Amino acid sequence: MYNAILLDKNEDGSTNARLTQLDEAQLPADGDVTVRIDYSTINFKDGLAITGKSPVVRKWPMVPGIDGAGEVLSSSHPDWKAGDAFVLNGWGVGEVHMGCLAQRARLKGDWLIRRPPGMSARSAMAIGTAGYTAMLCVMALQDHGVGSDSGEILVTGASGGVGSVAVALLAAAGYRVVASSGKLDEADYLTSLGAAEVIDRSQLSAAGKPLQKERWAGVVDSVGSHTLVNALAQVRYGGAVAACGLAQGLDLPGSVAPFILRGVSLLGIDSVMAPRARREEAWRRLAQELRPEALERITTEIGLAEVLPHAADILQGKVRGRLVVDVSR
Ligand code: NDP
C-alpha cells in the first residue's frame, strides 16, 4: 500500500480530492517503469486539477501531480533500471495518466529524464515544471537573440513559480531584470533573487494602448490576458515575448500592431509535450545556472497531507515561489 492524493468526480461534476492509501495493484498498466516518488510539487496546473477549477483531469479516478522525482524500482524499458534517478514533467501525467502526488507511480520510460548528476530529488521538484518552463522561456529568448546586453527583461507573475525561477536564472546570466508583481511586500524577496527593479503589476493588468513606450528587450510572461498584451506593446523593436501562462486569463485582447510595426515576436512555450532533447538541454542548464541559494529561497516544503489546502492557495496567487512536496509525510 502507498499514500496518494486521489481525485474522484462527484455526481454534480465537482471534484472530490482526498489523501488515501492505494494498492500497488492499482498502478496503471500502461507504463513500463515503476518508480518510488521521493518528492513531488504543486504547480498551478495541479491546483486547477485538485480543485476542479478547470478540466485538467480527463480520466477518473486520477492521482494528480504533473511532476515527480525519485528512483526507479523496476523497469522493462531498455533505458532504465532499478536504482536510476529520474525526473518527470508533464506528458499528460496527472491529467490522463496517474500522477506523482503519491509514493509510487508507473510511468513510461520514454517520458523520464535522467536527473542531472548532483541534483537531489528535492531540488528537482523545487524546480519542477514551473522552473523547467522558466528555463524554456529563457532559452527561447536567447534563441531569438535576446542577450544580456540587449536591454531590460520584464518578468510577469514574478513572485510565482515560473516567475521566481525566471528572475533568478536571468539575473544569474547577467540580464537586468524588472519583476512585475502584485505582492509589493515581497519586493525584498524578488531583489534577493536578482531583480534590479520591482514594478506593481497593476501597471500592466488593465487594457492599454496598442503601442506604448518601448522598454523591454524581452519578456517572460506567465500571466497572459491584458498583461501580455501590454507587455507586447512595450517591447522594443525586434524584441520578443516568451508566453507560457494564463494566471490573469486565457484571452489575448490586443492588436497586431507590435508584430507588424515593431517586428516583435511572440514565442509560445509549452512544457508538456516539449521534445526530449529540449527538456534535457533545459535540465542540464538548470543544474548549471540556477544558484542553489536562490533555489532554496524560492522553496517552501510541505508534506502530502498539506497538499489539499495549498492547491487552492496557488490559484489565488497566494503562494510565493515553489511548493515542494515530501510524499513520505
Ligand atoms: P503561480 O501561481 O506560482 O504564479 C503565478 C503568479 O501570477 C502569481 O504568483 C502572481 O504573481 C501572478 N498572478 C496570479 N493571479 C494573477 C492575476 N489575476 N493577474 C495578474 N497576475 C496574477 O503559478 P506558476 O508560476 O506555476 O504558473 C504560472 C502560469 O504559467 C500558470 O498559468 C500556469 O498554468 C502556466 N504554466 C504553463 C506551462 C506551459 O507549459 N506553458 C508550464 C508551467 C506553468 P504576483 O503576485 O507576483 O503578481
Side-chain angles (χ1 to χ4, degrees), residues 285-304:
R285 287 191 54 178
L286 283 159
Q288 286 172 359
E289 297 174 31
L290 188 57
R291 295 194 177 126
E293 62 275 14
L295 185 59
E296 206 44 49
R297 207 166 294 139
I298 287 168
T299 306
T300 303
E301 183 178 317
I302 61 171
L304 203 52

Side-chain angles (χ1 to χ4, degrees), residues 144-175:
H144 188 78
V146 180
S148 57
D149 54 355
S150 302
E152 294 180 303
I153 308 293
L154 172 69
V155 175
T156 65
S159 76
V162 174
S164 295
V165 178
V167 169
L169 285 172
L170 288 161
Y175 289 84

Side-chain angles (χ1 to χ4, degrees), residues 10 27 33 46-47 56 67 85 88 93 96 102 109 116 146 149 173 228 245 274 281 302-303 321:
N10 294 320
L27 287 168
V33 182
D46 300 312
V56 166
D67 285 333
L88 177 282
V93 173
V96 291
V146 180
D149 54 355
L228 172 55
E281 166 77 355
I302 61 171

